[in-house]
Amino acid sequence: MTPTIALRGVTKRYGDVTAVDGLDLSIQPGEVVALLGPNGAGKSTTIDMLLGLTRPDGGAARLFELPPVEAIARGRVGAMLQSGGLLPDLSVAEIVELAAALQPKSRPVAQVLERAGLADLAKRRVGKLSGGQQQRVRFAMALVADPELIVLDEPTTGLDVEARRAFWAAMRDESGHGRTVLFATHYLDEADAYADRIVFMRAGRVVADGTAAQIKALVSGRTIRATLPGADLNALAALPGVDEVESRGDAVLLTCRDSDAALRALLTSTPARDIEVNARGLEDAFVALTMEGAAAQ
Ligand SMILES: Nc1ncnc2c1ncn2[C@@H]1O[C@H](COP(=O)(O)OP(=O)(O)OP(=O)(O)O)[C@@H](O)[C@H]1O
Ligand SMILES: [Mg+2]
């Protein structure tokens, strides 16, 4: 099968900063992939190279086995960048019509405005929109070519809760039609809920690649939270199965390798109450993957 995205040994340097360091990444048709990583990990640089906006210093980026610029000229790719690209004097409908006119084929503008939640704002000048509304205009412009691949760099930054939900509902519909989606985000819940696959970058490299469940499994164990006023933290740390102890006001948070053993000990040897046991989530994996890098550097 022809990969939709193929990055082979892609490298980008800015002076002495290696923003992207020999990155290999292959994304198949229909996959919905989240690109995660701390600030400066190289996510936007990677996206810019695969959209042909920045030339790699080494390696090659291909979309549908074509040079990115060619795939884009054929209308096979829709992209939403973090900023820029809007003409403030045009109305919402005009700018989306313009984007449509630049494509070899396009969807009906009214349908795209509806999809992006802009139907009521069609006549408003772009320069008068709020940040979140402008973000929706970028989304509409990414969809108008009816692309096979959609690339989004932090698409929901600046959107309120309801707009984020509406955005992802629309995206889910779009990807349901077999489109491939790659998005960078800092919202772990979005990666968890919407991506089939998470690619975690740090310092220009891929350090983890898998389903949300696989990424979470990189941090094993569970956490136990309990109300325990005046707890003796050292005594808790010595309980069987407990790795780490933190105090949170009247509560304690135990990170456990063996939560069953820890729970038994907690119930028999302390007056702990309101006990909650949770599997560690994507946020813990994110922190662990980010910290590992900090330690190695
Ligand atoms: N035009 C540029 N000139 C110089 N350095 C750059 C340039 N663009 C990016 N960098 C550097 O390259 C590294 C990767 O930046 P990039 O924007 O790709 O990170 P990111 O993962 O998108 O981060 P964020 O989560 O903050 O958006 C950073 O150290 C950044 O300072
Ligand atoms: Mg970025």
Side-chain angles (χ1 to χ4, degrees):
M1 196 158 40
T2 305
T4 302
I5 295 178
L7 298 176
R8 300 190 190 96
V10 167
T11 297
K12 182 72 193 178
R13 290 185 204 90
Y14 293 107
D16 2 328
V17 176
T18 304
V20 176
D21 191 2
L23 190 89
D24 289 308
L25 181 64
S26 179
I27 294 178
Q28 302 302 320
E31 280 193 292
V32 178
V33 179
L35 204 51
L36 282 187
N39 291 134
K43 303 179 296 295
S44 294
T45 307
T46 300
I47 286 178
D48 288 352
M49 287 191 288
L50 69 86
L51 293 174
L53 298 170
T54 305
R55 283 179 80 86
D57 298 315
R62 290 286 178 274
L63 301 178
F64 311 101
E65 304 210 314
L66 299 169
V69 175
E70 204 168 308
I72 290 164
R74 293 187 190 183
R76 301 182 74 174
V77 186
M80 185 172 165
L81 300 177
Q82 263 180 283
S83 57
L86 297 180
L87 300 165
D89 293 333
L90 297 184
S91 74
V92 168
E94 284 165 346
I95 198 168
V96 178
E97 271 157 20
L98 178 65
L102 295 172
Q103 298 297 333
K105 61 175 170 40
S106 61
R107 287 159 76 168
V109 168
Q111 183 196 63
V112 172
L113 292 178
E114 183 72 45
R115 170 62 92 208
L118 289 168
D120 296 339
L121 296 169
K123 296 203 175 102
R124 180 93 48 99
R125 274 184 44 200
V126 170
K128 293 193 171 162
L129 297 175
S130 74
Q133 291 166 341
Q134 291 191 358
Q135 203 60 343
R136 290 189 231 168
V137 173
R138 293 194 181 92
F139 180 46
M141 291 167 74
L143 291 181
V144 79
D146 201 10
E148 292 158 71
L149 166 65
I150 304 180
V151 179
L152 311 149
D153 195 355
E154 298 192 30
T156 57
T157 299
L159 298 189
D160 64 33
V161 175
E162 200 185 320
R164 273 177 71 190
R165 205 170 286 159
F167 172 87
W168 284 111
M171 274 315 297
R172 212 198 281 268
D173 252 26
E174 292 291 326
S175 60
H177 293 99
R179 280 180 231 272
T180 310
V181 180
L182 174 67
F183 66 100
T185 186
H186 283 120
Y187 295 114
L188 301 180
D189 57 327
E190 293 189 340
D192 205 352
Y194 300 105
D196 306 322
R197 174 177 165 197
I198 294 176
V199 172
F200 192 98
M201 284 185 73
R202 187 185 67 222
R205 298 175 189 214
V206 173
V207 292
D209 183 345
T211 61
Q214 287 167 335
I215 302 278
K216 287 180 207 171
L218 294 173
V219 287
S220 52
R222 292 171 195 273
T223 56
I224 298 177
R225 195 188 169 91
T227 303
L228 189 56
D232 174 349
L233 300 183
N234 289 328
L236 290 175
L239 292 179
V242 174
D243 282 333
E244 273 174 55
V245 180
E246 284 169 57
S247 105
R248 304 268 169 92
D250 271 354
V252 289
L253 191 67
L254 312 181
T255 306
C256 304
R257 158 175 20 96
D258 180 351
S259 55
D260 296 335
L263 199 53
R264 236 172 256 128
L266 199 63
L267 285 168
T268 50
S269 65
T270 75
R273 53 193 166 81
D274 305 330
I275 297 173
E276 291 169 26
V277 183
N278 288 300
R280 298 179 70 189
L282 201 52
E283 190 172 326
D284 294 297
F286 188 100
V287 171
L289 287 165
T290 305
M291 295 305 282
E292 255 171 50
Q297 272 162 15

Short mmCIF file of all heavy atoms in Angstrom, two decimals, residues 227-277:
data_model
loop_
_atom_site.label_atom_id
_atom_site.label_comp_id
_atom_site.label_asym_id
_atom_site.label_seq_id
_atom_site.Cartn_x
_atom_site.Cartn_y
_atom_site.Cartn_z
N THR A 227 -7.79 10.11 51.49
CA THR A 227 -7.77 11.17 52.50
C THR A 227 -7.11 10.60 53.75
O THR A 227 -7.51 9.54 54.24
CB THR A 227 -9.21 11.62 52.82
OG1 THR A 227 -9.82 12.03 51.59
CG2 THR A 227 -9.22 12.79 53.80
N LEU A 228 -6.08 11.30 54.20
CA LEU A 228 -5.31 10.80 55.36
C LEU A 228 -4.62 11.99 56.03
O LEU A 228 -3.44 12.24 55.80
CB LEU A 228 -4.28 9.76 54.86
CG LEU A 228 -3.51 8.93 55.88
CD1 LEU A 228 -4.47 8.20 56.81
CD2 LEU A 228 -2.63 7.93 55.16
N PRO A 229 -5.39 12.74 56.88
CA PRO A 229 -4.80 13.95 57.47
C PRO A 229 -3.60 13.59 58.34
O PRO A 229 -3.62 12.56 59.02
CB PRO A 229 -5.94 14.53 58.32
CG PRO A 229 -7.19 13.87 57.82
CD PRO A 229 -6.78 12.54 57.30
N GLY A 230 -2.58 14.43 58.27
CA GLY A 230 -1.39 14.23 59.10
C GLY A 230 -0.63 12.96 58.79
O GLY A 230 -0.01 12.36 59.67
N ALA A 231 -0.69 12.50 57.55
CA ALA A 231 -0.05 11.23 57.19
C ALA A 231 1.46 11.29 57.38
O ALA A 231 2.07 12.33 57.20
CB ALA A 231 -0.37 10.92 55.73
N ASP A 232 2.02 10.15 57.75
CA ASP A 232 3.48 10.02 57.85
C ASP A 232 3.97 9.54 56.47
O ASP A 232 3.85 8.37 56.13
CB ASP A 232 3.81 9.01 58.95
CG ASP A 232 5.31 8.71 59.02
OD1 ASP A 232 6.05 9.12 58.10
OD2 ASP A 232 5.72 8.06 60.00
N LEU A 233 4.52 10.46 55.70
CA LEU A 233 4.85 10.14 54.31
C LEU A 233 5.93 9.07 54.20
O LEU A 233 5.89 8.22 53.31
CB LEU A 233 5.27 11.41 53.55
CG LEU A 233 4.21 12.53 53.48
CD1 LEU A 233 4.72 13.69 52.64
CD2 LEU A 233 2.88 12.03 52.91
N ASN A 234 6.87 9.10 55.12
CA ASN A 234 7.94 8.09 55.08
C ASN A 234 7.38 6.69 55.34
O ASN A 234 7.76 5.73 54.69
CB ASN A 234 9.03 8.40 56.09
CG ASN A 234 9.83 9.61 55.65
OD1 ASN A 234 10.00 9.83 54.45
ND2 ASN A 234 10.29 10.40 56.60
N ALA A 235 6.44 6.62 56.28
CA ALA A 235 5.84 5.32 56.59
C ALA A 235 5.05 4.82 55.37
O ALA A 235 5.08 3.63 55.04
CB ALA A 235 4.93 5.43 57.81
N LEU A 236 4.35 5.74 54.71
CA LEU A 236 3.58 5.34 53.52
C LEU A 236 4.51 4.84 52.42
O LEU A 236 4.23 3.86 51.73
CB LEU A 236 2.74 6.51 53.00
CG LEU A 236 1.56 6.93 53.88
CD1 LEU A 236 0.91 8.19 53.30
CD2 LEU A 236 0.54 5.82 53.99
N ALA A 237 5.62 5.53 52.25
CA ALA A 237 6.57 5.16 51.19
C ALA A 237 7.14 3.76 51.44
O ALA A 237 7.55 3.08 50.50
CB ALA A 237 7.69 6.18 51.10
N ALA A 238 7.14 3.35 52.71
CA ALA A 238 7.69 2.03 53.06
C ALA A 238 6.67 0.90 52.91
O ALA A 238 7.01 -0.28 53.06
CB ALA A 238 8.23 2.08 54.48
N LEU A 239 5.41 1.25 52.62
CA LEU A 239 4.38 0.19 52.48
C LEU A 239 4.70 -0.67 51.25
O LEU A 239 5.28 -0.19 50.28
CB LEU A 239 2.99 0.83 52.30
CG LEU A 239 2.39 1.56 53.49
CD1 LEU A 239 1.02 2.13 53.11
CD2 LEU A 239 2.28 0.64 54.70
N PRO A 240 4.29 -1.95 51.28
CA PRO A 240 4.55 -2.81 50.12
C PRO A 240 3.87 -2.27 48.86
O PRO A 240 2.75 -1.77 48.93
CB PRO A 240 3.96 -4.16 50.53
CG PRO A 240 3.13 -3.91 51.72
CD PRO A 240 3.61 -2.66 52.37
N GLY A 241 4.57 -2.36 47.73
CA GLY A 241 3.98 -1.99 46.44
C GLY A 241 4.02 -0.52 46.11
O GLY A 241 3.67 -0.11 45.01
N VAL A 242 4.44 0.33 47.06
CA VAL A 242 4.41 1.78 46.84
C VAL A 242 5.76 2.26 46.31
O VAL A 242 6.81 1.90 46.83
CB VAL A 242 4.07 2.53 48.15
CG1 VAL A 242 4.17 4.04 47.96
CG2 VAL A 242 2.68 2.15 48.63
N ASP A 243 5.71 3.07 45.24
CA ASP A 243 6.95 3.63 44.68
C ASP A 243 7.19 5.07 45.15
O ASP A 243 8.30 5.44 45.47
CB ASP A 243 6.88 3.66 43.15
CG ASP A 243 7.13 2.29 42.57
OD1 ASP A 243 7.82 1.50 43.22
OD2 ASP A 243 6.63 2.03 41.46
N GLU A 244 6.14 5.87 45.11
CA GLU A 244 6.31 7.29 45.44
C GLU A 244 5.11 7.78 46.23
O GLU A 244 4.00 7.29 46.03
CB GLU A 244 6.35 8.13 44.16
CG GLU A 244 7.72 8.26 43.57
CD GLU A 244 7.61 8.98 42.22
OE1 GLU A 244 7.04 10.09 42.20
OE2 GLU A 244 8.07 8.40 41.23
N VAL A 245 5.34 8.79 47.06
CA VAL A 245 4.26 9.36 47.87
C VAL A 245 4.30 10.88 47.72
O VAL A 245 5.37 11.48 47.80
CB VAL A 245 4.45 9.01 49.36
CG1 VAL A 245 3.33 9.60 50.20
CG2 VAL A 245 4.51 7.50 49.55
N GLU A 246 3.12 11.46 47.52
CA GLU A 246 3.05 12.93 47.51
C GLU A 246 1.90 13.32 48.42
O GLU A 246 0.90 12.61 48.50
CB GLU A 246 2.68 13.45 46.12
CG GLU A 246 3.78 13.41 45.12
CD GLU A 246 3.21 13.68 43.73
OE1 GLU A 246 2.57 14.75 43.55
OE2 GLU A 246 3.36 12.82 42.86
N SER A 247 2.05 14.48 49.07
CA SER A 247 0.91 14.91 49.87
C SER A 247 0.20 16.04 49.13
O SER A 247 0.81 16.86 48.48
CB SER A 247 1.40 15.33 51.26
OG SER A 247 1.41 16.71 51.38
N ARG A 248 -1.12 16.02 49.20
CA ARG A 248 -1.98 17.03 48.55
C ARG A 248 -2.99 17.52 49.57
O ARG A 248 -4.09 17.00 49.63
CB ARG A 248 -2.74 16.43 47.36
CG ARG A 248 -1.89 15.77 46.30
CD ARG A 248 -1.53 16.77 45.21
NE ARG A 248 -0.52 16.24 44.31
CZ ARG A 248 -0.76 15.58 43.19
NH1 ARG A 248 -2.00 15.36 42.81
NH2 ARG A 248 0.22 15.16 42.44
N GLY A 249 -2.57 18.44 50.40
CA GLY A 249 -3.47 18.89 51.46
C GLY A 249 -3.72 17.74 52.43
O GLY A 249 -2.77 17.11 52.90
N ASP A 250 -5.00 17.43 52.66
CA ASP A 250 -5.35 16.34 53.57
C ASP A 250 -5.25 14.98 52.90
O ASP A 250 -5.48 13.95 53.53
CB ASP A 250 -6.79 16.52 54.07
CG ASP A 250 -6.83 17.37 55.33
OD1 ASP A 250 -5.73 17.68 55.85
OD2 ASP A 250 -7.94 17.70 55.78
N ALA A 251 -4.96 15.00 51.59
CA ALA A 251 -4.93 13.73 50.84
C ALA A 251 -3.49 13.32 50.55
O ALA A 251 -2.58 14.14 50.60
CB ALA A 251 -5.71 13.89 49.54
N VAL A 252 -3.34 12.03 50.23
CA VAL A 252 -2.03 11.55 49.78
C VAL A 252 -2.23 10.85 48.43
O VAL A 252 -3.30 10.32 48.14
CB VAL A 252 -1.39 10.55 50.76
CG1 VAL A 252 -0.94 11.27 52.02
CG2 VAL A 252 -2.33 9.41 51.08
N LEU A 253 -1.17 10.92 47.62
CA LEU A 253 -1.20 10.29 46.31
C LEU A 253 -0.04 9.31 46.27
O LEU A 253 1.12 9.71 46.42
CB LEU A 253 -1.03 11.37 45.24
CG LEU A 253 -1.29 10.93 43.82
CD1 LEU A 253 -2.77 10.61 43.63
CD2 LEU A 253 -0.90 12.05 42.86
N LEU A 254 -0.37 8.03 46.12
CA LEU A 254 0.66 7.00 46.09
C LEU A 254 0.79 6.47 44.67
O LEU A 254 -0.21 6.10 44.05
CB LEU A 254 0.29 5.82 47.00
CG LEU A 254 -0.20 6.14 48.42
CD1 LEU A 254 -0.50 4.85 49.17
CD2 LEU A 254 0.85 6.95 49.17
N THR A 255 1.99 6.46 44.15
CA THR A 255 2.23 5.84 42.86
C THR A 255 2.73 4.43 43.15
O THR A 255 3.68 4.27 43.91
CB THR A 255 3.29 6.63 42.08
OG1 THR A 255 2.85 7.99 42.03
CG2 THR A 255 3.45 6.11 40.67
N CYS A 256 2.03 3.45 42.57
CA CYS A 256 2.26 2.07 43.02
C CYS A 256 2.63 1.14 41.88
O CYS A 256 2.02 1.18 40.82
CB CYS A 256 0.98 1.50 43.64
SG CYS A 256 0.37 2.52 44.97
N ARG A 257 3.58 0.30 42.17
CA ARG A 257 3.93 -0.79 41.24
C ARG A 257 2.93 -1.93 41.46
O ARG A 257 2.48 -2.54 40.50
CB ARG A 257 5.37 -1.15 41.59
CG ARG A 257 5.95 -2.41 41.28
CD ARG A 257 7.47 -2.39 41.68
NE ARG A 257 7.86 -1.37 42.66
CZ ARG A 257 7.98 -1.60 43.96
NH1 ARG A 257 7.72 -2.77 44.47
NH2 ARG A 257 8.37 -0.64 44.77
N ASP A 258 2.55 -2.18 42.72
CA ASP A 258 1.57 -3.23 43.03
C ASP A 258 0.48 -2.58 43.90
O ASP A 258 0.61 -2.50 45.12
CB ASP A 258 2.28 -4.38 43.76
CG ASP A 258 1.31 -5.51 44.11
OD1 ASP A 258 0.08 -5.33 43.95
OD2 ASP A 258 1.78 -6.57 44.55
N SER A 259 -0.57 -2.12 43.23
CA SER A 259 -1.58 -1.35 43.96
C SER A 259 -2.41 -2.25 44.89
O SER A 259 -2.95 -1.77 45.88
CB SER A 259 -2.48 -0.58 42.99
OG SER A 259 -3.05 -1.47 42.06
N ASP A 260 -2.51 -3.54 44.57
CA ASP A 260 -3.28 -4.43 45.44
C ASP A 260 -2.60 -4.55 46.81
O ASP A 260 -3.26 -4.42 47.85
CB ASP A 260 -3.41 -5.82 44.81
CG ASP A 260 -4.21 -5.78 43.52
OD1 ASP A 260 -5.03 -4.84 43.37
OD2 ASP A 260 -4.04 -6.66 42.67
N ALA A 261 -1.30 -4.78 46.77
CA ALA A 261 -0.55 -4.91 48.03
C ALA A 261 -0.60 -3.59 48.80
O ALA A 261 -0.80 -3.58 50.03
CB ALA A 261 0.90 -5.30 47.73
N ALA A 262 -0.45 -2.49 48.07
CA ALA A 262 -0.44 -1.18 48.72
C ALA A 262 -1.79 -0.90 49.38
O ALA A 262 -1.87 -0.41 50.51
CB ALA A 262 -0.11 -0.11 47.70
N LEU A 263 -2.85 -1.26 48.68
CA LEU A 263 -4.21 -1.01 49.17
C LEU A 263 -4.49 -1.81 50.45
O LEU A 263 -5.04 -1.29 51.42
CB LEU A 263 -5.18 -1.41 48.06
CG LEU A 263 -6.59 -0.87 48.11
CD1 LEU A 263 -6.57 0.65 48.23
CD2 LEU A 263 -7.32 -1.27 46.83
N ARG A 264 -4.07 -3.06 50.42
CA ARG A 264 -4.25 -3.92 51.59
C ARG A 264 -3.55 -3.31 52.81
O ARG A 264 -4.13 -3.19 53.89
CB ARG A 264 -3.65 -5.31 51.30
CG ARG A 264 -4.64 -6.42 51.48
CD ARG A 264 -4.07 -7.75 51.01
NE ARG A 264 -4.62 -8.12 49.72
CZ ARG A 264 -3.91 -8.46 48.65
NH1 ARG A 264 -2.60 -8.48 48.71
NH2 ARG A 264 -4.52 -8.79 47.55
N ALA A 265 -2.31 -2.89 52.59
CA ALA A 265 -1.53 -2.32 53.70
C ALA A 265 -2.14 -1.01 54.17
O ALA A 265 -2.23 -0.73 55.37
CB ALA A 265 -0.09 -2.11 53.23
N LEU A 266 -2.60 -0.23 53.22
CA LEU A 266 -3.18 1.08 53.55
C LEU A 266 -4.42 0.90 54.42
O LEU A 266 -4.63 1.62 55.40
CB LEU A 266 -3.53 1.78 52.24
CG LEU A 266 -3.74 3.28 52.25
CD1 LEU A 266 -2.45 3.98 52.65
CD2 LEU A 266 -4.16 3.74 50.84
N LEU A 267 -5.26 -0.08 54.08
CA LEU A 267 -6.51 -0.30 54.81
C LEU A 267 -6.26 -0.90 56.19
O LEU A 267 -7.02 -0.63 57.12
CB LEU A 267 -7.43 -1.23 53.99
CG LEU A 267 -8.10 -0.55 52.81
CD1 LEU A 267 -8.75 -1.57 51.89
CD2 LEU A 267 -9.15 0.45 53.29
N THR A 268 -5.25 -1.73 56.32
CA THR A 268 -5.02 -2.38 57.61
C THR A 268 -4.17 -1.55 58.55
O THR A 268 -4.33 -1.63 59.75
CB THR A 268 -4.38 -3.78 57.43
OG1 THR A 268 -3.27 -3.63 56.55
CG2 THR A 268 -5.36 -4.77 56.84
N SER A 269 -3.26 -0.71 58.00
CA SER A 269 -2.33 -0.05 58.91
C SER A 269 -2.55 1.46 59.03
O SER A 269 -1.81 2.12 59.74
CB SER A 269 -0.88 -0.34 58.48
OG SER A 269 -0.64 0.25 57.23
N THR A 270 -3.53 2.01 58.32
CA THR A 270 -3.76 3.46 58.43
C THR A 270 -5.26 3.73 58.44
O THR A 270 -6.05 2.89 58.01
CB THR A 270 -3.17 4.24 57.23
OG1 THR A 270 -4.03 4.03 56.10
CG2 THR A 270 -1.75 3.83 56.89
N PRO A 271 -5.66 4.91 58.92
CA PRO A 271 -7.10 5.26 58.87
C PRO A 271 -7.49 5.93 57.53
O PRO A 271 -8.40 6.75 57.51
CB PRO A 271 -7.23 6.23 60.05
CG PRO A 271 -5.89 6.86 60.19
CD PRO A 271 -4.86 5.90 59.66
N ALA A 272 -6.82 5.60 56.44
CA ALA A 272 -7.12 6.22 55.15
C ALA A 272 -8.58 6.01 54.76
O ALA A 272 -9.14 4.95 55.00
CB ALA A 272 -6.20 5.63 54.08
N ARG A 273 -9.18 7.04 54.16
CA ARG A 273 -10.56 6.88 53.66
C ARG A 273 -10.71 7.57 52.30
O ARG A 273 -9.74 8.14 51.80
CB ARG A 273 -11.57 7.44 54.67
CG ARG A 273 -11.27 8.85 55.08
CD ARG A 273 -12.09 9.27 56.29
NE ARG A 273 -11.55 10.48 56.86
CZ ARG A 273 -11.78 11.71 56.38
NH1 ARG A 273 -12.59 11.89 55.36
NH2 ARG A 273 -11.20 12.75 56.93
N ASP A 274 -11.91 7.51 51.72
CA ASP A 274 -12.18 8.05 50.37
C ASP A 274 -11.14 7.56 49.36
O ASP A 274 -10.59 8.35 48.58
CB ASP A 274 -12.16 9.59 50.35
CG ASP A 274 -13.09 10.21 51.37
OD1 ASP A 274 -14.11 9.57 51.66
OD2 ASP A 274 -12.79 11.32 51.85
N ILE A 275 -10.89 6.27 49.37
CA ILE A 275 -9.78 5.76 48.54
C ILE A 275 -10.20 5.61 47.07
O ILE A 275 -11.28 5.09 46.77
CB ILE A 275 -9.30 4.40 49.09
CG1 ILE A 275 -8.75 4.61 50.51
CG2 ILE A 275 -8.24 3.77 48.18
CD1 ILE A 275 -8.39 3.35 51.23
N GLU A 276 -9.34 6.11 46.18
CA GLU A 276 -9.56 5.93 44.74
C GLU A 276 -8.33 5.27 44.14
O GLU A 276 -7.21 5.66 44.47
CB GLU A 276 -9.67 7.29 44.03
CG GLU A 276 -10.90 8.09 44.35
CD GLU A 276 -10.77 9.52 43.82
OE1 GLU A 276 -10.02 9.73 42.84
OE2 GLU A 276 -11.41 10.41 44.40
N VAL A 277 -8.56 4.31 43.26
CA VAL A 277 -7.43 3.68 42.56
C VAL A 277 -7.60 3.97 41.07
O VAL A 277 -8.67 3.76 40.51
CB VAL A 277 -7.41 2.14 42.77
CG1 VAL A 277 -6.19 1.53 42.09
CG2 VAL A 277 -7.43 1.81 44.25
#
